């Protein structure tokens, strides 16, 4: 019995170690692939459009802090002449509410011309946002705005989808628990992104 327990602990330890190696390696690869294509807003290059991936909205339909940070940076980029249009991409029927309506209303309320905004209500994941931006909206060059921890994955997936994408860091006036949770989520999402990059359809 003792031998079996020791063997179980050994294999459990190896499995955990293997998982950690896969997660860490995947994250390192995403950072490497996106290297040279990430910047702060002030150093962002020029592109025809800014892609804003969706995120949670509040009960009253307004963007929560994570999403608001992305939208504010997109607004700054347009006002600075670094982009001439915005693609908001998210879940129009999300659990927390209509991300597309929330983002569009916020942008218009901040003075963005509605004619500059395009919307994709079926960008249900980062990968789908990037692929649909290229396939359905014909976007070949873009900036994608999202938080620091999400940026390498977003840039890598958009570039793999055929978009010459550069990532721009969005801020987040978030609680510490929100930052920790989102960092953990990104770390765990990296292997799936790498799988998508390796085995994506031609």
């Amino acid at each position: 019995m003792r031998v079996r327990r020791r063997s179980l602990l050994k294999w459990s330890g190896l499995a955990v170690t293997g998982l950690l190696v896969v997660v860490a390696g995947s994250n390192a690869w995403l950072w490497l692939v996106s290297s040279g294509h990430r910047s702060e807003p002030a150093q962002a290059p020029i592109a025809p459009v800014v892609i804003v991936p969706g995120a949670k909205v509040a009960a009253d339909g307004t963007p929560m802090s994570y999403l608001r940070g992305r939208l504010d940076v997109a607004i700054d980029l347009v006002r600075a002449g670094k982009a001439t249009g915005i693609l908001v991409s998210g879940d129009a029927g999300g659990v927390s509410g209509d991300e597309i309506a929330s983002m569009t209303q916020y942008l218009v309320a901040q003075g963005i011309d509605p004619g500059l905004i395009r919307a994709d209500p079926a960008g249900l994941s980062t990968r789908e946002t990037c692929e649909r931006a290229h396939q359905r909206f014909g976007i070949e060059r873009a900036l994608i705005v999202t938080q620091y921890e999400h940026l390498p994955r977003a840039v890598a997936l958009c570039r793999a989808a055929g978009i010459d994408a550069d990532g721009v860091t969005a801020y987040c006036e978030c609680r510490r628990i929100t930052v920790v949770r989102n960092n953990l989520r990104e770390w765990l999402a990296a292997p799936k992104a790498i799988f998508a990059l390796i085995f994506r359809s031609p």
Side-chain angles (χ1 to χ4, degrees):
M1 192 71 174
R2 191 175 297 173
V3 173
R4 287 181 63 185
R5 183 180 297 174
R6 193 178 301 131
S7 178
L8 181 60
L9 288 173
K10 175 185 176 182
W11 285 108
S12 297
L14 288 173
V16 170
T17 300
L19 178 61
L20 290 174
V21 169
V22 169
V23 170
S26 297
N27 277 276
W29 191 0
L30 291 176
W31 279 88
L32 181 63
V33 168
S34 63
S35 178
H37 299 287
R38 305 186 307 268
S39 67
E40 296 297 317
Q43 288 76 46
I46 294 173
V49 64
V50 184
I51 300 172
V52 184
K56 216 171 181 182
V57 301
D60 64 357
T62 58
M64 294 186 73
S65 55
Y66 215 64
L67 184 54
R68 190 168 61 249
R70 298 176 185 181
L71 292 166
D72 285 343
V73 169
I75 292 167
D76 289 343
L77 290 171
V78 170
R79 288 176 177 168
K82 296 197 172 186
T84 54
I86 299 175
L87 172 66
V88 293
S89 178
D91 190 350
V95 175
S96 67
D98 187 339
E99 296 172 6
I100 297 302
S102 176
M103 289 191 280
T104 303
Q105 289 165 11
Y106 184 85
L107 291 170
V108 173
Q110 298 300 314
I112 296 296
D113 182 347
L116 301 181
I117 304 169
R118 288 185 286 175
D120 180 5
L124 307 184
S125 67
T126 304
R127 180 182 179 182
E128 289 172 304
T129 286
C130 293
E131 290 179 348
R132 288 174 60 84
H134 181 62
Q135 295 169 5
R136 295 185 65 86
F137 293 86
I139 293 174
E140 297 183 347
R141 167 80 183 126
L143 303 176
I144 183 163
V145 176
T146 187
Q147 277 71 22
Y148 178 81
E149 65 274 11
H150 181 214
L151 209 56
R153 183 163 66 96
V155 170
L157 287 170
C158 273
R159 295 187 72 81
I163 300 174
D164 179 14
D166 285 287
V168 183
T169 305
Y171 68 86
C172 180
E173 295 175 350
C174 304
R175 296 178 300 166
R176 186 179 296 275
I177 185 63
T178 301
V179 175
V180 171
R181 184 174 63 244
N182 284 313
N183 271 282
L184 179 60
R185 176 180 177 275
E186 281 305 316
W187 266 79
L188 296 177
K192 182 179 177 181
I194 295 300
F195 184 88
L197 291 173
I198 294 173
F199 298 103
R200 66 183 184 273
S201 300

